[in-house]
Amino acid sequence: MKSTDLVKAIALIVVIVLVFSAAMFGLNFYTGPLIEANNAGAVYGPLLAVMPEGASFNGEAQIYAADGTVPTTLADVPETVTAIYKEANGMGYAVKVATTSQYTKAGSAMEITLGVDAEGKIIKVQIDAYNDTESYDFRAKDPGYLDTYIGKDSALADVGLVAGTTFSSTAFKQGVSDGLNALIANGLIAEGVKGDDQLLAEMIPTVFPGMADPSGNLKAEPIEVDGAVAAYKAVNSSGFAYIVPKGESMVMAVTNASGKCFVYDTEGNEVTVDNPDAVALATAHASANQQDFNAEAQEKFGRMMEGAENMTALELPNFSTVVAAASFDVDGEIYYGFYSKSYGYEDMDVYVIIDAAGAIAKVDAKTVIFEQEYFAFQNPAISSFDANAYKAGLRGLRDAEDGAVAISGATMTTNSMKQSINDAFEVYGGAQLTEPEVSTNE
């Protein structure tokens, strides 16, 4: 090749490189800001959606990242909180949360963004990704549910759950609370003050475990009762709770299925003796409205234990899922039967018979595995489940031993059976202290 041709070739390559470089520079010059804007939109879009007009977020907005990618001074942040952003003009904060329930798809989470103003009030809350089972989407059952959070502080006064989607709406509510608590723990907003009625309502699962599922979630529906600020009926009909005024404060009376009544103040102290008016209101309403399960229970106990006689109803000494109890004789031996309505995948009806020595004689349930075909598809172990063998294996137990009660692939049913058996033993302990007084055979 001639030297002149070599020079021309080199010059052509240089020109091509320069033209390509210029083109790439121009492309980056014009598209770079667009890409950056798009990336910013993906990050800040959900934040702006939950903040008022005029809100602004910039590169310094993020003040917390759960993955540690952002330097932060924040502490005591719940693990469900994934990111916190501070609005540039002091309007407040945007918080991102990832929470789960028993119905959340494996490897996923319900992703939430909430906007909170500088006073600690919720501006707006939205769901960015819903990964619970579709049939438990509370937005479909109550389209206005998310709006009930607007304007609320961390007390979340009057914000309830959505019937039929208790686990999913509970997870959502807890996620919102976690986001607010992250801001409160770091002095970014003030904590909301709960009213006496709210404090007492939140106390129900503690003083009346029968009105809560095994995870401690309240399972009750609001009802109206004259003279009460608020009242609740247990979903399993195990009793009632009544919040009634007392001077400038309030107290709460609870009644179980046999009419036993206790009263509590806002500190959780039992103050029954000092509140005869609350007792009178609660017992009068419960007497007129409490479902009586004794006849149903005793008929079932008689079928479970052939030759049962001298069937005698027992007063329930506590506030559990047990709605009826009775003592009876079989061939001169005394037994105690307990009918529990606990909370599993669906509400469960469990019958536990305990002998005088304190061991389970028999256990039965109307249904042990709900939606068996569905769960068998999800977990093959369910397809081989033998309900009769399972119930027989519970005989002789003196408590709800994990290994004996556990059902592979059916966590909610397992927890419900544990709840029923433990509640039966708890009532059994109280029944042993009091001799039966009233026979229902007469």
Side-chain angles (χ1 to χ4, degrees):
M1 176 182 292
K2 297 180 180 179
S3 59
T4 54
D5 292 337
L6 179 62
V7 170
K8 289 180 181 179
I10 293 173
L12 180 60
I13 292 172
V14 170
V15 169
I16 291 172
V17 170
L18 290 174
V19 170
F20 180 78
S21 298
M24 291 303 297
F25 175 80
L27 181 64
N28 186 64
F29 181 82
Y30 287 106
T31 62
L34 294 176
I35 294 172
E36 185 177 350
N38 286 336
N39 290 336
V43 174
Y44 299 135
L47 312 184
L48 293 170
V50 297
M51 294 295 285
E53 291 186 18
S56 175
F57 294 94
N58 53 39
E60 299 178 355
Q62 190 168 6
I63 58 176
Y64 175 80
D67 60 8
T69 56
V70 175
T72 186
T73 59
L74 304 189
D76 299 323
V77 177
E79 61 180 11
T80 54
V81 176
T82 60
I84 301 175
Y85 299 82
K86 183 177 181 180
E87 197 279 327
N89 300 315
M91 292 182 180
Y93 304 87
V95 185
K96 297 186 74 65
V97 179
T99 186
T100 60
S101 78
Q102 296 192 38
Y103 292 102
T104 304
K105 299 171 185 175
S108 303
M110 187 190 306
E111 297 177 15
I112 304 166
T113 302
L114 62 149
V116 184
D117 68 21
E119 302 300 318
K121 302 289 181 66
I122 295 174
I123 301 168
K124 187 177 180 182
V125 59
Q126 69 178 24
I127 297 176
D128 302 317
Y130 185 87
N131 290 301
D132 277 22
T133 304
E134 188 173 334
S135 59
Y136 294 102
D137 189 341
F138 47 86
R139 295 171 297 180
K141 293 182 179 292
D142 185 354
Y145 179 64
L146 269 61
D147 291 340
T148 64
Y149 287 80
I150 296 175
K152 305 296 184 182
D153 57 23
S154 65
L156 294 180
D158 302 321
V159 174
L161 303 176
V162 179
T165 64
T166 303
F167 289 100
S168 296
S169 55
T170 294
F172 177 81
K173 185 176 181 180
Q174 185 59 55
V176 173
S177 291
D178 289 347
L180 293 168
N181 289 335
L183 301 177
I184 293 168
N186 290 279
L188 302 178
I189 61 172
E191 184 174 5
V193 179
K194 297 180 179 180
D196 287 352
D197 56 338
Q198 188 175 0
L199 292 171
L200 291 167
E202 292 177 355
M203 196 186 300
I204 296 175
T206 300
V207 301
F208 198 151
M211 291 178 73
D213 64 29
S215 299
N217 300 312
L218 181 64
K219 300 285 284 186
E221 57 185 17
I223 58 175
E224 292 187 5
V225 176
D226 290 342
V229 174
Y232 302 86
K233 177 185 177 182
V235 169
N236 63 356
S237 297
S238 61
F240 299 88
Y242 311 85
I243 298 174
V244 298
K246 182 180 181 181
E248 296 182 356
S249 185
M250 299 180 193
V251 294
M252 178 172 65
V254 292
T255 60
N256 67 10
S258 61
K260 191 176 186 66
C261 179
F262 281 162
V263 180
Y264 297 89
D265 63 19
T266 55
E267 300 296 323
N269 302 308
E270 196 259 302
V271 291
T272 308
V273 175
D274 299 326
N275 291 275
D277 292 342
V279 172
L281 181 151
T283 54
H285 179 270
S287 177
N289 295 277
Q290 175 62 51
Q291 184 175 350
D292 188 348
F293 294 97
N294 284 295
E296 176 186 346
Q298 290 176 29
E299 192 273 336
K300 177 65 175 180
F301 300 151
R303 286 189 284 114
M304 291 175 67
M305 299 290 288
E306 186 177 352
E309 57 185 1
N310 298 323
M311 195 76 69
T312 304
L314 299 176
E315 180 181 279
L316 302 176
N318 53 18
F319 295 80
S320 67
T321 61
V322 175
V323 295
S327 66
F328 54 90
D329 299 332
V330 178
D331 296 330
E333 298 291 331
I334 190 169
Y335 292 88
Y336 297 86
F338 306 93
Y339 176 19
S340 164
K341 294 175 69 64
S342 54
Y343 308 97
Y345 178 74
E346 295 181 16
D347 296 346
M348 294 187 69
D349 296 89
V350 181
Y351 305 89
V352 182
I353 295 178
I354 301 175
D355 63 27
I360 291 178
K362 277 190 176 181
V363 173
D364 200 2
K366 290 182 179 178
T367 304
V368 177
I369 301 293
F370 292 90
E371 303 288 349
Q372 185 161 350
E373 291 184 2
Y374 169 78
F375 282 108
F377 173 76
Q378 297 291 321
N379 189 325
I382 295 297
S383 61
S384 60
F385 177 77
D386 186 334
N388 290 328
Y390 171 74
K391 289 181 285 189
L394 300 176
R395 295 176 184 173
L397 295 184
R398 295 178 181 273
D399 58 35
E401 296 177 13
D402 286 344
V405 181
I407 302 174
S408 177
T411 302
M412 295 177 68
T413 298
T414 291
N415 290 339
S416 181
M417 292 296 293
K418 287 182 183 178
Q419 186 179 31
S420 288
I421 292 172
N422 284 330
D423 286 352
F425 275 109
E426 186 178 354
V427 178
Y428 168 82
Q432 295 292 80
L433 300 177
T434 306
E435 289 297 323
E437 296 179 355
V438 181
S439 174
T440 59
N441 280 352
E442 299 178 358

